[in-house]
Amino acid sequence: MIKRPFLGWFVSPAGLVALGLTAAMAAVFQFSLRVYIPGSLDVGGFTLQNFAAMLRPLYALAFWNTILLCFETAASTLILAYPLAYALVRTRSSAVRSFILIAAVTPLFLGEVVRTYSWMIVLGNNGFLNTLLVKLGFVERPVQMMFTAGGVIAALVHVTMPIMVIMLAAGLSHIDRNCEKAAESLGAGPIRVFLTITLPLSMPGIVAGFSTAFAWTFSAFATPQLIGGGRVSTVSTLIYQLGFSSFNFPFAASLSIIGLALSLAVIALLKQATRPLERLASAT
Amino acid sequence: MLMHTDRMGATAGSEAGRQGQPAVQLDGVTKRFGNSVALHEAWLKIQPGEFMTLLGPSGCGKTTLLNLVAGFLEADGGEIFIEGTLVTETPAHQREIGIVFQNYALFPHMSVANNIAYGLKTRGIDRKQIARRVDEALALVRLDGFGDRKPRQLSGGQQQRVALARALVIKPKVLLLDEPFSALDKNLRGSMQVELKQIQRELGVTTIFVTHDQGEALSMSDRIAVMSAGRIRQIAAPGDVYRRPADRFVASFVGNVNVLAGRLVERRGEVATVSVGDMRLEVPAAPLAKLAIGDDVDVFIRPEHLAVTSGRTPGSLCGTVTTQVFQGDHIDLYIDITGVARAPVLLRAPGIAALSSCPAGADVGLTVGSDDVVAFPPEAREP
């Protein structure tokens, strides 16, 4: 056994954070099992009623809408990010590489609120995009983009883009270029090489990027709240309303627990799907 | 085995042979990367069914040449013909070439059978025929029954066989082998070399083999193109490359060789006479054409062409044994010959007699027992 004298010290800050996080999660879990007393911040005895209430159409629909929104966001990000990641990995020019990297990663460094407000400026009825469309004569009147699911997705794609590009690029860079060359020599044109070799072999990166984008979108709050303006309701905006408008902490807590469980389930499912997806893509 | 040969072996090579075209022809092909010339005006004709080896140290341009034939690189000058058809501008996927990479590059997400079937599927061949030809190809490389395995479940040697089957099943016009043995351990390498050579001969497929291993090149090739610094230095049969190297690079890269300091004594037509100490040797005159009588020359002698003489015979060299290395079937003697060779001269004595007769420190006489001695101008004089 090698002696690592400072290991305990090095690990302790992260250990403390983990401990705090676990305690917080335990508290949320504990709250989710309590009875809500209207008009009071205190909670009553233990009950499973909060979870039963979630089966009501209003809440079930919010979950369904959120999952849909997450899928649409993750899918849009994937489609937009794949060419970028491909160019990032395959370009021979270091200038192109730097440009893509900077352009793709910058959103990570913008604050969530700043980023969301700039999207409001772009998407608003008198915003940049509508002014442009009207001036160019594509539309007569401004198109409603604020307070729609489409607007929320556009802003969320911006958030998930960097992580998707990075994960796809990591996946793509692990592909043996000789495999593509071998396929080429065996008579496969560029499209066939991409569909039968490159795409299936980049599936681990796709699944990792997709799951991360999905999980980030699921927990996103400021973007759906501000751009959705209450008209796009997701699990996180619902939790906010219940917790901080109605002060129904127990129900907000149970929503959080189910939301967490659901996104973990989706990620696990996606991970399971890697192999079959690879096979599907290579069967062509 | 023979049955497979009949079906798979009708390669395009023999058809081209009827037409009298070389299977592969390079006319002054040049490739540059930025300012450096990776391949300088390569001229090469490979006959149908021939096993041609590109031999040279890393960075000599042999892999560049291979990639140009495969179509993975575009030539900056010159033309490439495959079976008489100009393919310089043809993309790789239309060249009908089989290639085996150093790392095999099997498709990791496909079964062995699907790996082999890949090239047949791209050609739109019907399922039944694909299944039959995949089975034949598996039998050819002695991997019957391995079709359902994934590449990662196979050993290195088995993976290489799959790569070979995948390249051969499409009946390629040319088979390209890019250092295919370098990832295998030594014992396996030897048996794979024999097997590959056997398959190649049975199918009669034109093959270009890239290697930096001169032993591999000498043992497998019909002809060898020795390359260095982006140029083809010599194209000849293995025996000729070994016995009559075209320049000092080829002489020192292929096989072991001793370089002795000599002097040009006489020139008569094709043959020149050089002196090394008291010894006189006849060498080909061509490489020494630019020298005057009395000029310094470097004389290249193979270790196995030197012999130890008992006592002092006139016209022999004198030296002192510095080291004796027992190699089993022969003995390597390192002999110090002051004034003639800078480093101790290596002598390969067959049998084990030299073990007792030439101990370290013994004074011995040396003679040359072969005509295969060559001489080149000293390094500085070479253009």
Side-chain angles (χ1 to χ4, degrees), chain A residues 92 176 178-190 192-193 196-197 200-201 275 278-279 281-284, chain B residues 67 71-72 92-94 96-99 101 103 105-110 115 118-119 121-123 152 166-167 170:
Chain A
R92 290 221 187 101
D176 179 6
N178 281 350
C179 280
E180 295 174 359
K181 283 186 182 177
E184 223 179 306
S185 76
L186 293 168
R192 197 181 185 114
V193 169
T196 58
I197 308 294
L201 291 183
R275 277 282 160 74
E278 263 181 25
R279 232 173 291 141
S282 62
T284 43
Chain B
N67 280 322
F72 299 141
H93 68 274
Q94 289 167 5
E96 294 179 57
I97 272 172
I99 183 158
F101 290 98
N103 63 354
L106 297 178
F107 309 135
H109 56 303
M110 294 184 197
N115 262 279
Y118 191 90
K121 285 181 186 167
T122 62
R123 282 161 172 74
R152 64 173 169 276
R166 182 178 70 178
I170 61 168

Side-chain angles (χ1 to χ4, degrees), chain B residues 32-49:
Chain B
R32 281 180 287 270
F33 293 116
N35 288 329
S36 67
V37 181
L39 190 65
H40 183 87
E41 286 192 26
W43 298 80
L44 186 63
K45 272 185 191 172
I46 303 171
Q47 298 309 318

Side-chain angles (χ1 to χ4, degrees), chain B residues 223-237:
Chain B
R223 280 194 300 158
I224 298 174
V226 186
M227 297 180 69
S228 145
R231 287 165 199 268
I232 297 179
R233 297 304 190 97
Q234 184 174 15
I235 305 171

Side-chain angles (χ1 to χ4, degrees), chain A residues 143-214:
Chain A
V143 184
Q144 181 68 38
M145 286 184 276
M146 277 299 288
F147 315 124
T148 65
V152 173
I153 289 172
L156 285 172
V157 165
H158 192 209
V159 186
T160 50
M161 200 72 167
I163 197 71
M164 186 71 94
V165 169
I166 288 168
M167 286 186 161
L168 288 177
L172 281 167
S173 64
H174 281 117
I175 295 176
D176 179 6
R177 296 293 296 276
N178 281 350
C179 280
E180 295 174 359
K181 283 186 182 177
E184 223 179 306
S185 76
L186 293 168
I191 296 170
R192 197 181 185 114
V193 169
F194 178 78
L195 290 177
T196 58
I197 308 294
T198 317
L199 190 62
L201 291 183
S202 61
M203 211 46 96
I206 292 176
V207 170
F210 196 93
S211 332
T212 311
F214 189 94

Side-chain angles (χ1 to χ4, degrees), chain B residues 63 66 99-103 176-182 208 210:
Chain B
T63 302
L66 195 82
I99 183 158
V100 176
F101 290 98
Q102 188 175 351
N103 63 354
L176 306 180
L177 306 168
D178 187 6
E179 306 236 6
F181 302 120
S182 54
I208 304 179
V210 162

